[in-house]
Amino acid sequence: NAGVTQTPKFQVLKTGQSMTLQCAQDMNHEYMSWYRQDPGMGLRLIHYSVGAGITDQGEVPNGYNVSRSTTEDFPLRLLSAAPSQTSVYFCASSRGGSAGELFFGEGSRLTVL
Amino acid sequence: KQEVTQIPAALSVPEGENLVLNCSFTDSAIYNLQWFRQDPGKGLTSLLLIQSSQREQTSGRLNASLDKSSGRSTLYIAASQPGDSATYLCAVPRGGADGLTFGKGTHLIIQP
């Protein structure tokens, strides 16, 4: 019953550093996505993927890269972290596309100093 | 641009009360609406998904209704329990783009 697994749960970075947030799902969902959650802003879509080899930009994609080499994994890369990227990041997957029932991971809390 | 508003932002009630959480959206051309629950420090859990062709969806003590024409949805929680304490979020398709637009949530506290 793993569902959607995100690592790490917590991370502190310095401005300009790079890192990758990992996301894996074991439900064979074609659709995967990344959201960020900020106080007063709600959740906003960063990037999404409708299947292996296919990715696209969401509402707030700047500063983030993604790839989807397998159905199971959808990593989010920050190439040069900025304080504005301090947030809680959630990975979500669905069998029915973006508007199907979404299954979320427990989140990765990132602080950029 | 789709916008979602949830009222109230916070609610505290004694255990056992029935309560209603409200969600409104600006673009009524949606094909479904989802209600989620989020516990502190945790991810979101989908509670109910209502298709545009439905008017209601029920799961246990939860009942969600959808009125597309007025741009509103309500989440009814019957016989509230302390374990219902959480933040409840509604979300609709972004409209013209992939993904969901989320409300900012209602922070619910059920007092024992």
Side-chain angles (χ1 to χ4, degrees):
Chain A
N1 291 341
V4 179
T5 303
Q6 291 183 234
T7 57
K9 287 185 170 19
F10 300 94
Q11 183 71 48
V12 178
L13 289 178
K14 295 181 179 178
T15 297
Q17 287 185 321
S18 63
M19 77 157 301
T20 300
L21 300 179
Q22 301 290 346
C23 175
Q25 54 92 9
D26 62 359
M27 296 173 284
N28 202 32
H29 288 169
E30 291 296 322
Y31 181 86
M32 296 185 74
S33 56
W34 279 100
Y35 284 86
R36 60 179 288 174
Q37 185 176 37
D38 302 291
M41 297 290 293
L43 283 94
R44 293 176 292 170
L45 181 67
I46 305 171
H47 284 286
Y48 66 96
S49 169
V50 297
I54 305 169
T55 64
D56 209 341
Q57 297 181 350
E59 186 180 358
V60 288
N62 292 340
Y64 307 96
N65 282 349
V66 292
S67 60
R68 185 92 180 272
S69 57
T70 67
T71 299
E72 294 79 19
D73 300 298
F74 191 43
L76 179 71
R77 297 184 184 85
L78 286 73
L79 297 180
S80 180
S84 61
Q85 294 178 303
T86 294
S87 187
V88 182
Y89 292 86
F90 289 100
C91 180
S93 71
S94 165
R95 180 173 292 111
S98 65
E101 183 182 5
L102 276 181
F103 293 81
F104 280 80
E106 295 212 334
S108 297
R109 183 175 294 274
L110 175 66
T111 300
V112 183
L113 303 176
Chain B
K1 178 184 174 184
Q2 179 73 271
E3 294 182 2
V4 178
T5 303
Q6 291 188 245
I7 295 173
L11 183 63
S12 180
V13 300
E15 179 178 6
E17 285 200 4
N18 302 324
L19 53 98
V20 174
L21 308 182
N22 297 292
C23 171
S24 61
F25 44 93
T26 54
D27 184 353
S28 62
I30 62 169
Y31 46 89
N32 65 26
L33 179 145
Q34 292 190 63
W35 281 94
F36 295 87
R37 168 184 174 140
Q38 185 175 26
D39 293 289
K42 300 292 186 180
L44 282 70
T45 300
S46 180
L47 297 173
L48 291 164
L49 187 155
I50 314 174
Q51 301 295 344
S52 60
S53 57
Q54 301 173 306
R55 293 187 65 85
E56 286 189 4
Q57 189 74 262
T58 298
S59 176
R61 294 180 294 107
L62 304 179
N63 176 275
S65 66
L66 174 62
D67 184 344
K68 273 187 58 175
S69 60
S70 67
R72 294 181 181 180
S73 176
T74 61
L75 179 67
Y76 176 84
I77 303 177
S80 58
Q81 303 171 358
D84 295 329
S85 297
T87 297
Y88 291 81
L89 300 103
C90 69
V92 297
R94 285 174 63 206
D98 199 272
L100 300 180
T101 297
F102 284 81
K104 295 177 182 177
T106 294
H107 181 56
L108 176 64
I109 297 174
I110 306 299
Q111 306 154 11

